[in-house]
Amino acid sequence: MRHIIACLLAVLLAVTAVPVMAQQAETPNYQTWELVAERAEGLTTNAQATNEELGQTRARIVEWRDRLQAGQNVNADRIATLRNQIEALGPVPAEGETEDADVAARRAELNQQLSTAQAPRLAATEAASRANSIIAQIDEIMRQRQALELAKQTDSPLLPGSWAEAANDGLTLLDGVAAEISGRDAAPETWQNLRGQMLQVAFYLIAALLLLTYGRAWIGSLPSRLSARASEYSRAVLAFVVSLGQIAIPMVGIFLAINAVKATELPGAWTTPFLNALPVAGVILFSGIWLARALFPRQAIAYTSLHMGEGARVSAATMVRALALVMAVHHVLSRAVLPLSGLYEQGEAQVGRVPVQFSEASAGVWHLVLITLAALGMVRLGNILRRLTRDAVTQDLSYRHWIVAWAGQLTRFLAPVAVVVTAAGFVNLGNLMVWPWLLSLALVGLLILLQDFIADVFNMLQRGAEGAREGLAPLLTGFALVLLSVPLFLFIWGATWEELGEYWLRFRTGISLGGVNLSPGAILTFLVIFAIGYVLTRGLQGALRNSILPKTRLDAGGQNAVVSGMGYIGIVLAALMAITSAGIDLSAFAIVAGALSVGIGFGLQNIVSNFVSGIILLIERPVSVGDWISAGGQQGIVKRISVRSTQVETFDKTEVIVPNSDLISQPVINWTRHNKVGRIIIPVGVAYGSDTRKVERILRELTEDHPLVSIDPAPAILFRGLGADSLDFEVRAILADVGTGLGVTSDLLHEIVRRFSEEGIEIPFAQRDIWLRNPETLHGGGARDDAPREPAPPLKIPDPRLTRDEGADAPGLPDIAADSEGR
């Protein structure tokens, strides 16, 4: 716990250190700033300004904006002191009222000093707003130019003339590259130097060859071999970490091969651009191969991240590897040779290209070939992914399966559209629809693998405990990982680092809601202070519950009330301190709170009622934890009292949540509020003709002999009345623990039945006389007999269990009914 608090304090110190340092900033030179701002504004209105000039100007304005933002905190301490002094003078007199002349003079003097101290801050705020406006204008101009470039249309790559230009430029490129590789145009001293470098070149080439062949094979099989020796809960983590070598080892081989070629001093203007583009192309290729193995394994080491059939996994992995190869080739050609490369067509991309200048028509043909190859793989991969939810081998599908299936649908749609758009001459737009989308798919797959890796790490730390992978911590960490990936998605789709920095600045500055500025720093400060207060509150509650309150005379209910009340007070204080530390003015919420009060009064009246009732229960304690109560048609033991409801455990071990307002507004029977003493009442009936005094004596003996029945006061045996079927008695007994009432009742009834049987006392049951309405039907219902007959005697059925259904089953039995009037 001490380490956690120390970390939280360190984070809080880091957050609050920046504003403190900013208070010591110097006032900017506003005359120089005016000149810089005027030049920048003039450049934004110049249509002939180049992207390079706009970028340099933007960088200078960003530097000035940083100074101006620091200047907004000048005189912070002085301003705070002056405001406190003004508040100490009291409120400003209302209209028509006056105050003491000395107080008024002092107030005016302090207000003047405050205005003077705030003047530099206001100037800095105004200048920073102007800087933001200039930066926004430059960014808008850059975005418009980029959009126009992406929408530019060239000659269709399908035209024969375009193919002729592509073939001509390709032959020129091949001739230049071949001349450099063969050394045809190399100087004599180059060959002399090469003889001295042969050993180094041979070492680099052999090492590169070994790493790219045997090294790849070895590192590819290493995760399976190591995981077989690892424990079950650490196998997945070990396999993931070791599998990253499938990218690192080949990349080392690529760098060694590039160094071997450069050591010959043969590469020149024709081959150096290709060598410079190879490292990133290698990362694309080997990362794609690793992603195919990890996301679509032929044989899973621990589990599969996506539920798919084996055939679908193999096909998807093949398509991912093919697309990675095409992307790597596209990267090399776009960086070294081809214009019209979509988002990759930046200013720095054209620096260091081969001497031959490919025409736009020629570049369109080569791009069409690459986009068509990529589109074929995208269609095949999209067909596999879109069936992920339909053909899943299990019904336990998470959100990732639906996202991947949706991505498959879109991939299948974008591929043919990109080919058509490119064939129509919109080459940049076609590149935009293919390569960023493939990178986005790769990033989605990487996020899936990283989320599984995080869950595996938590599972390993908890040594395979049940539910460790599906816990809250892995879920929140994975969600944070998704949020952190948002800048990467923006960068993939054309956002520059400058734009990302601008987004981050706006995010860090925060937003204003109802006059309250919410920024990440303020939110983090609030969370840290509240977390510290919450931890201290829980610690104090634990000390009271376990160490202090057990030594007092408070009962269990009172101790629970004290602990609960301390918790609520601590949380409220922690929230107030956190709000104040975060710089949030509570008065800004006054209007919002007033507007919400009407809604709270109508829509949340039940919740507020239960909350107030919960506070009353904790203070008055008419019901405490451990009491046996009967409320709302439920009986049970009170287990927990919160501010909204009370948890009651019934005698059949079910949990009943009773709103606190019901315990306050409705009658509640508390069987054990002050003590556990309670009374039971047992009704007993005996047959007419029994000796009532003897019955009373027997019942008294049996009751007094029971060990759980209290002697003082003595049990009472009452002759309650003459019932329709029995002589009614009642046994009333006081028990020391009313919770044993059911058991005592059962014991006494057993004894009463046994004793009555021994004494010959009959326990009656209900008897009824039944008269037949049509007794002649008992003789078969034949011809009418006019001779008078005697009325049938009443049919006595002593057994009360006789029912109509039982009589209806007898053949020839007529309908009978009880005559309530005795006819």
Side-chain angles (χ1 to χ4, degrees):
M1 185 61 66
R2 292 194 301 269
H3 298 290
I4 296 177
I5 295 177
C7 293
L8 294 176
L9 290 176
V11 172
L12 180 62
L13 180 61
V15 172
T16 57
V18 175
V20 173
M21 295 175 61
Q23 294 177 8
Q24 303 174 358
E26 297 180 357
T27 303
N29 188 335
Y30 292 102
Q31 294 180 351
T32 306
W33 158 248
E34 287 292 333
L35 296 176
V36 173
E38 289 177 0
R39 292 175 184 174
E41 290 172 344
L43 189 65
T44 57
T45 60
N46 185 6
Q48 304 300 324
T50 63
N51 291 340
E52 183 178 1
E53 292 175 343
L54 290 174
Q56 293 176 354
T57 302
R58 186 187 187 283
R60 179 178 298 180
I61 298 299
V62 169
E63 294 179 359
W64 270 100
R65 183 179 62 182
D66 294 339
R67 302 180 198 172
L68 295 172
Q69 288 178 344
Q72 294 178 14
N73 295 316
V74 172
N75 300 330
D77 295 336
R78 177 59 178 166
I79 292 173
T81 302
L82 290 173
R83 287 176 176 172
N84 291 334
Q85 289 177 322
I86 293 174
E87 291 179 0
L89 296 177
V92 179
E95 185 177 357
E97 297 181 358
T98 59
E99 63 179 349
D100 185 76
D102 294 338
V103 175
R106 181 58 178 169
R107 187 188 302 276
E109 180 183 358
L110 291 176
N111 285 326
Q112 180 62 35
Q113 294 179 9
L114 180 61
S115 300
T116 304
Q118 287 180 334
R121 302 182 69 177
L122 297 176
T125 302
E126 180 184 359
S129 176
R130 185 179 182 184
N132 285 326
S133 177
I134 295 174
I135 293 173
Q137 292 177 10
I138 295 176
D139 290 340
E140 182 63 24
I141 293 173
M142 300 290 285
R143 282 192 293 267
Q144 290 178 358
R145 291 184 177 183
Q146 186 180 28
L148 291 175
E149 183 67 22
L150 292 174
K152 182 175 66 174
Q153 184 179 17
T154 61
D155 295 337
S156 173
L158 300 179
L159 296 176
S162 300
W163 284 88
E165 291 186 25
N168 184 35
D169 292 341
L171 291 175
T172 303
L173 176 64
L174 289 176
D175 183 66
V177 173
E180 273 193 1
I181 293 177
S182 63
R184 184 176 59 192
D185 299 332
E189 57 270 14
T190 301
W191 293 105
Q192 294 177 359
N193 295 334
L194 179 59
R195 295 188 183 94
Q197 299 290 334
M198 286 301 295
L199 183 61
Q200 180 181 359
V201 172
F203 172 78
Y204 283 151
L205 288 177
I206 293 173
L209 185 61
L210 291 175
L211 289 175
L212 291 173
T213 54
Y214 294 104
R216 282 192 61 210
W218 176 79
I219 196 64
S221 61
L222 186 60
S224 299
R225 290 186 281 110
L226 290 180
S227 61
R229 303 177 182 178
S231 60
E232 183 178 356
Y233 51 81
S234 62
R235 182 178 299 124
V237 175
L238 180 63
F240 181 87
V241 174
V242 175
S243 68
L244 296 177
Q246 299 171 8
I247 303 175
I249 296 298
M251 285 307 303
V252 174
I254 292 290
F255 279 109
L256 291 177
I258 293 174
N259 289 333
V261 175
K262 289 184 176 180
T264 63
E265 299 182 1
L266 292 177
W270 291 93
T271 54
T272 299
F274 290 97
L275 295 177
N276 293 336
L278 274 181
V280 177
V283 172
I284 294 174
L285 175 61
F286 296 117
S287 297
I289 295 174
W290 170 82
L291 188 64
R293 287 182 177 180
L295 201 58
F296 309 107
R298 183 181 296 270
Q299 184 176 1
I301 295 177
Y303 56 86
T304 56
S305 298
L306 297 174
H307 298 308
M308 302 173 63
E310 183 178 356
R313 288 203 309 269
V314 173
S315 299
T318 302
M319 290 302 103
V320 171
R321 286 191 289 266
L323 289 172
L325 177 60
V326 177
M327 286 187 66
V329 174
H330 171 264
H331 177 81
V332 172
L333 294 180
S334 63
R335 292 300 186 189
V337 180
L338 299 177
L340 301 178
S341 300
L343 293 175
Y344 299 105
E345 189 65 20
Q346 306 293 340
E348 64 274 9
Q350 302 178 8
V351 178
R353 282 182 172 172
V354 295
V356 62
Q357 182 67 34
F358 275 54
S359 66
E360 292 184 347
S362 173
V365 173
W366 292 103
H367 281 300
L368 179 62
V369 173
L370 293 174
I371 290 175
T372 302
L373 292 175
L376 294 175
M378 290 172 64
V379 170
R380 175 60 179 163
L381 181 62
N383 285 331
I384 297 172
L385 297 181
R386 73 185 181 91
R387 294 195 298 264
L388 189 62
T389 54
R390 187 183 64 186
D391 301 338
V393 296
T394 179
Q395 298 299 324
D396 185 18
L397 297 178
S398 59
Y399 70 94
R400 64 176 60 175
H401 295 83
W402 300 101
I403 293 176
V404 173
W406 172 84
Q409 291 276 14
L410 193 55
T411 302
R412 185 169 171 265
F413 169 77
L414 285 177
V417 174
V419 175
V420 173
V421 167
T422 306
F426 297 95
V427 181
N428 276 324
L429 187 58
N431 282 302
L432 174 67
M433 300 174 68
V434 173
W435 314 114
W437 177 249
L438 290 179
L439 288 176
S440 299
L441 287 180
L443 185 54
V444 170
L446 179 61
L447 289 175
I448 291 175
L449 295 176
L450 290 178
Q451 286 181 338
D452 287 339
F453 174 70
I454 292 171
D456 293 333
V457 170
F458 279 95
N459 184 59
M460 183 184 67
L461 295 177
Q462 299 182 27
R463 306 184 67 83
E466 183 179 359
R469 296 190 78 259
E470 294 78 17
L472 180 61
L475 178 63
L476 295 179
T477 307
F479 180 72
L481 190 66
V482 173
L483 293 180
L484 293 176
S485 68
V486 172
L488 293 178
F489 280 105
L490 295 177
F491 181 75
I492 288 174
W493 287 96
T496 62
W497 292 113
E498 291 78 11
E499 290 176 332
L500 294 179
E502 194 69 20
Y503 294 149
W504 169 248
L505 179 63
R506 295 177 184 176
F507 174 74
R508 189 179 60 185
T509 303
I511 58 176
S512 181
L513 296 176
V516 179
N517 185 49
L518 297 180
S519 63
I523 295 175
L524 183 59
T525 302
F526 174 84
L527 294 177
V528 170
I529 297 298
F530 183 78
I532 294 176
Y534 182 82
V535 170
L536 294 177
T537 299
R538 292 307 183 196
L540 180 59
Q541 283 184 295
L544 288 173
R545 182 184 295 108
N546 301 322
S547 301
I548 300 176
L549 293 179
K551 299 179 181 180
T552 64
R553 296 183 179 180
L554 288 176
D555 56 8
Q559 294 180 15
N560 177 75
V562 172
V563 172
S564 300
M566 184 61 65
Y568 299 138
I569 293 174
I571 291 177
V572 171
L573 292 178
L576 292 177
M577 293 178 61
I579 292 174
T580 304
S581 301
I584 300 175
D585 187 7
L586 292 177
S587 61
F589 293 102
I591 299 177
V592 178
L596 291 178
S597 61
V598 178
I600 292 175
F602 287 98
L604 302 179
Q605 56 182 345
N606 290 334
I607 297 177
V608 174
S609 175
N610 289 326
F611 178 81
V612 175
S613 300
I615 299 299
I616 294 174
L617 289 177
L618 291 175
I619 296 176
E620 294 186 355
R621 294 194 298 119
V623 175
S624 301
V625 174
D627 288 353
W628 173 13
I629 67 171
S630 176
Q634 300 290 338
Q635 285 195 45
I637 305 300
V638 177
K639 292 298 182 180
R640 183 174 178 269
I641 300 176
S642 63
V643 293
R644 191 195 69 83
S645 60
T646 297
Q647 179 180 335
V648 178
E649 182 182 280
T650 63
F651 296 111
D652 55 0
K653 298 302 180 182
T654 59
E655 301 292 338
V656 178
I657 306 301
V658 180
N660 287 334
S661 59
D662 291 350
L663 301 180
I664 296 298
S665 60
Q666 298 181 7
V668 177
I669 299 176
N670 193 329
W671 302 93
T672 58
R673 175 66 187 96
H674 296 289
N675 53 62
K676 294 184 178 182
V677 176
R679 185 179 68 175
I680 60 173
I681 300 176
I682 306 175
V684 179
V686 297
Y688 276 91
S690 301
D691 187 349
T692 57
R693 294 299 180 182
K694 182 179 181 180
V695 172
E696 179 183 6
R697 177 176 54 81
I698 293 173
L699 293 177
R700 188 179 304 278
E701 291 176 0
L702 294 177
T703 306
E704 292 178 348
D705 289 343
H706 197 284
L708 298 181
V709 174
S710 176
I711 302 301
D712 186 16
I717 310 300
L718 303 177
F719 185 7
R720 295 286 293 168
L722 305 175
D725 302 302
S726 64
L727 302 175
D728 298 332
F729 287 82
E730 276 187 0
V731 177
R732 298 188 178 188
I734 302 298
L735 305 181
D737 186 357
V738 73
T740 62
L742 292 178
V744 173
T745 301
S746 178
D747 293 341
L748 289 178
L749 289 176
H750 280 296
E751 291 298 319
I752 290 172
V753 171
R754 181 188 61 82
R755 186 68 178 273
F756 280 3
S757 179
E758 294 177 355
E759 299 291 340
I761 299 175
E762 180 183 356
I763 299 177
F765 49 83
Q767 301 183 24
R768 293 293 184 268
D769 291 341
I770 299 178
W771 294 80
L772 298 179
R773 292 177 179 269
N774 302 310
E776 63 276 5
T777 57
L778 292 176
H779 300 284
R784 179 179 178 86
D785 189 356
D786 296 333
R789 298 178 179 177
E790 295 292 334
L795 178 62
K796 293 183 179 296
I797 304 177
D799 191 350
R801 292 173 295 177
L802 180 62
T803 63
R804 181 181 178 85
D805 293 337
E806 294 172 348
D809 292 339
L813 186 65
D815 292 339
I816 58 176
D819 191 346
S820 59
E821 298 179 0
R823 293 177 297 180

